[in-house]
Amino acid sequence: MSWEASQFSLADFYYSDSDSPLTPPADYVAWRRDTAWATSLYEPVLCDPAGPINRLRTATGEQRVINMTSYGYLGLVRHPKVIAAAKQALDDYGTGACGSPILSGKSTLYQALEIKLSALTGYPAVLLFNSGFGGALGCAAGLMRKGDVAVVDARAHISMVDGLKVGGAKIAFFEHNSARALDEVLSAHNGARRLIFVDGLYSMDGDLADLPALIAVAESHGVGILVDEAHSFLCCGNTGGGVVEHFGMRAKVGVQYGTLSKAFSCGGGFAAASTDLIDYLRFYANTYGFTCAMPPSVVAAASAVIDVMQTETWRRAQLWENAAYFRTQLQSLGINTGESTSYVVPIVVGENRALLYQLGHQLREHGLFVTPVDYPTVALDQARFRASVTALHTRALLDQALQIIEDVFVPAMREKGLLRARAM
Ligand SMILES: Cc1ncc(COP(=O)(O)O)c(C=O)c1O
């Protein structure tokens, strides 16, 4: 990407001066062409199931890469028992649910997954959604109305924020993970019907919500909280019950939201809460009732994942061990890993967005598959690669990845004066 092109971002083309919504803005079209080489890193095509090693389709054939982009954190996407369960469901229940869960889309498999998730979360009731994003959107829109105030961590995922816009609530952001800022925002909206929205583990930063501090503030205001555990459920907590379990906060969190796409390596989402609240969301979260239920094979796979994780708890332990190793090795190279304390590890480049894309290509050419995350998804001076560590990355693979980073990323960053001093 040229320096000129890197001065623009997707944030610049939201409003259009074209005559018709069917005609994208001319300057957007030109910018996309100018940046085509850089952004060809996006929408890569994989030739096999997402795993620690993959083959990527290239213009000339296929390339073997160490995959640190996919978020199947527990390495379950190729698990034989999970695949067998999905295949059996295809035989027993067919390819699709052929109906919304309210009308006809629920199967005995579906009901069994609700019960298992209820046991795992510790909440009495669970609502399943056919999309993680859609479920979050539906919950936010279903809970919050015009006149309500949603008090939202500044780095919360866009799915909740979009849902809040649909519902029409006022959105009041507070500084990321700051109990002091939360207190101020709650005080500023005293008297309104309020609900706090946070992620359990932040998907671009890899840090955990400081639930003990945030919930103490929430309680002092008498305000409830929803925690989106898309990236933490099954990986955090002794039994996989997420950051809520990790901090022992089950009784204090009104809604625990999770997805089945990340650690579960399936697809879909769920909300866990009291029986009455789930029953309310059943009819007011439109992304539950006005869309087809999850396909039976996906339901069966998610259910099998829960069974597998009853015994294969080593996956969780290995994930955390791998994450700690990879992160500390990066830091010892002087690389900025932001606030990460988990298996989501930012490799921060900074504000030089042209360099981000150049490095993205070079890392891939050397066999490391990490995808750039650019503004406006992260702050303008925080462009980065997001590395996802999984339980199945062996020490040898992590060392190979680190060697590529040392050979490619470190010298380029040092040349631009962007590297921190090496940790001793
Ligand atoms: C915090 C959070 N919530 C919701 C979602 C949406 O989940 P899904 O990818 O399953 O649609 C994501 C996706 O990355 C996420 O990070």
Side-chain angles (χ1 to χ4, degrees):
M1 168 159 35
S2 68
W3 183 83
E4 288 78 15
S6 78
Q7 299 309 294
F8 295 90
S9 77
L10 290 172
D12 294 308
F13 307 105
Y14 183 74
Y15 292 103
S16 174
D17 54 4
S18 75
D19 292 339
S20 160
L22 294 177
T23 309
D27 50 358
Y28 168 79
V29 174
W31 177 74
R32 286 284 288 153
R33 288 196 183 121
D34 285 351
T35 57
W37 177 79
T39 55
S40 66
L41 289 168
Y42 296 121
E43 300 193 46
V45 177
L46 278 68
C47 306
D48 39 17
I53 298 176
N54 274 112
R55 287 173 296 123
L56 291 185
R57 176 158 291 170
T58 66
T60 50
E62 290 175 2
Q63 186 199 359
R64 177 193 178 278
V65 287
I66 301 170
N67 179 358
M68 300 200 76
T69 291
S70 301
Y71 41 47
Y73 301 120
L74 295 170
L76 292 162
V77 74
R78 310 178 198 208
H79 196 293
K81 286 186 181 159
V82 177
I83 291 174
K87 283 183 175 165
Q88 190 64 49
L90 276 171
D91 284 344
D92 294 348
Y93 293 85
T95 52
C98 303
S100 129
I102 291 184
L103 299 182
S104 64
K106 272 184 138 175
S107 60
T108 50
L109 276 181
Y110 193 100
Q111 218 169 26
L113 179 57
E114 286 177 335
I115 292 167
K116 281 187 192 175
L117 280 170
S118 172
L120 189 52
T121 57
Y123 287 82
V126 158
L127 205 59
L128 291 174
F129 295 91
N130 62 10
S131 146
F133 191 106
L137 188 147
C139 285
L143 291 170
M144 303 299 282
R145 302 278 172 276
K146 195 166 184 328
D148 294 343
V149 179
V151 180
V152 184
D153 185 288
R155 294 190 197 162
H157 194 256
I158 193 168
S159 48
M160 285 292 170
V161 178
D162 277 1
L164 294 167
K165 289 179 185 166
V166 170
K170 177 179 169 61
I171 304 174
F173 288 105
F174 66 95
E175 184 191 327
H176 173 55
N177 234 352
S178 162
R180 180 197 43 77
L182 174 63
D183 189 40
E184 283 168 14
V185 174
L186 285 171
S187 299
H189 296 91
N190 212 0
R193 230 171 66 117
R194 294 156 293 171
L195 183 63
I196 300 162
F197 291 80
V198 301
D199 289 3
L201 188 158
Y202 286 84
S203 59
M204 295 299 153
D205 298 278
D207 57 334
L208 304 189
D210 185 1
L211 286 188
L214 297 175
I215 289 177
V217 171
E219 284 185 327
S220 74
H221 288 265
V223 175
I225 188 164
L226 178 153
V227 183
D228 180 349
E229 301 247 35
H231 288 267
S232 38
F233 199 76
L234 221 54
C235 299
C236 297
N238 274 343
T239 66
V243 171
V244 169
E245 184 192 18
H246 171 75
F247 286 119
M249 292 283 155
R250 262 180 190 161
K252 296 171 184 261
V253 170
V255 183
Q256 187 180 28
Y257 184 78
T259 67
L260 303 173
S261 53
K262 276 94 186 162
F264 276 86
S265 303
C266 298
F270 66 90
S274 70
T275 308
D276 283 346
L277 186 58
I278 289 298
D279 192 51
Y280 180 77
L281 280 174
R282 200 181 300 287
F283 295 105
Y284 288 94
N286 290 343
T287 55
Y288 175 72
F290 290 84
T291 181
C292 190
M294 269 197 289
S297 51
V298 180
V299 174
S303 211
V305 162
I306 296 178
D307 296 342
V308 164
M309 285 307 295
Q310 298 294 316
T311 50
E312 300 188 14
T313 51
W314 62 265
R315 291 175 184 271
R316 215 162 16 241
Q318 192 63 53
L319 170 65
W320 284 95
E321 188 183 317
N322 290 353
Y325 176 74
F326 188 66
R327 210 175 46 245
T328 43
Q329 293 300 310
L330 286 176
Q331 286 164 355
S332 73
L333 293 171
I335 291 170
N336 177 1
T337 57
E339 292 146 44
S340 171
T341 53
S342 74
Y343 37 85
V344 174
V345 187
I347 299 177
V348 178
V349 171
E351 63 187 4
N352 191 335
R353 295 169 52 236
L355 180 62
L356 174 76
Y357 289 99
Q358 180 199 315
L359 281 171
H361 274 287
Q362 288 172 349
L363 290 168
R364 205 170 287 184
E365 278 156 21
H366 283 75
L368 180 58
F369 175 32
V370 279
T371 305
V373 184
D374 194 0
Y375 178 76
T377 301
V378 292
L380 202 47
D381 61 350
Q382 290 291 314
R384 66 191 57 187
F385 298 100
R386 174 179 68 168
S388 300
V389 179
T390 73
L392 295 192
H393 283 104
T394 60
R395 183 58 62 90
L397 274 181
L398 292 176
D399 283 338
Q400 276 176 43
L402 287 160
Q403 192 60 54
I404 295 169
I405 291 168
E406 187 167 359
D407 293 345
V408 174
F409 184 89
V410 167
M413 290 286 286
R414 184 169 294 135
E415 194 193 315
K416 303 265 184 215
L418 296 174
L419 212 60
R420 291 175 167 176
R422 263 172 187 266
M424 300 306 282

